[in-house]
Amino acid sequence: MRSKYASRGLLVVGVTKAAPEDALEFARETGVTYPLLPGAGEVFENYGVLWVPATKLIDPQGRVLVDDRRVGALSPRTGDIEATLELRLGD
């Protein structure tokens, strides 16, 4: 999804409470290629993140467009999020 919508303004950022060195190690081990924001406990609190993984679609003004609080990977719900992206990003 990241590569598909990047040219239309989508920015994917991973947020973690982990220390920077742990976040970097995780990225290397799992092949994460998007930016990671380590030590982001305040972001978790501000957006009500209770567990990981969590999926949030947040617009540039900080408004939450999609708040998927189900536990688990994103892939089964990608269609719902893509529909929202299509509406919000336009052509």
Side-chain angles (χ1 to χ4, degrees):
M1 198 175 341
R2 179 177 169 232
S3 60
K4 181 176 181 180
Y5 292 101
S7 66
R8 294 169 60 190
L10 177 67
L11 174 63
V12 173
V13 178
V15 181
T16 178
K17 289 183 179 181
E21 57 277 2
D22 295 333
L24 184 57
E25 182 179 339
F26 169 81
R28 273 186 245 156
E29 288 175 359
T30 61
V32 167
T33 58
Y34 49 83
L36 288 175
L37 177 61
E42 185 177 325
V43 174
F44 276 58
E45 187 175 312
N46 289 344
Y47 286 100
V49 176
L50 303 174
W51 54 78
V52 291
T55 301
K56 308 262 185 197
L57 182 58
I58 302 168
D59 74 7
Q61 290 73 39
R63 294 179 299 229
V64 177
L65 306 177
V66 172
D67 186 359
D68 193 337
R69 293 177 182 249
R70 292 174 278 189
V71 176
L74 174 63
S75 57
R77 298 178 297 276
T78 300
D80 296 339
I81 293 172
E82 284 197 84
T84 301
L85 283 171
E86 289 293 335
L87 286 172
R88 297 296 180 157
L89 295 177
D91 289 333

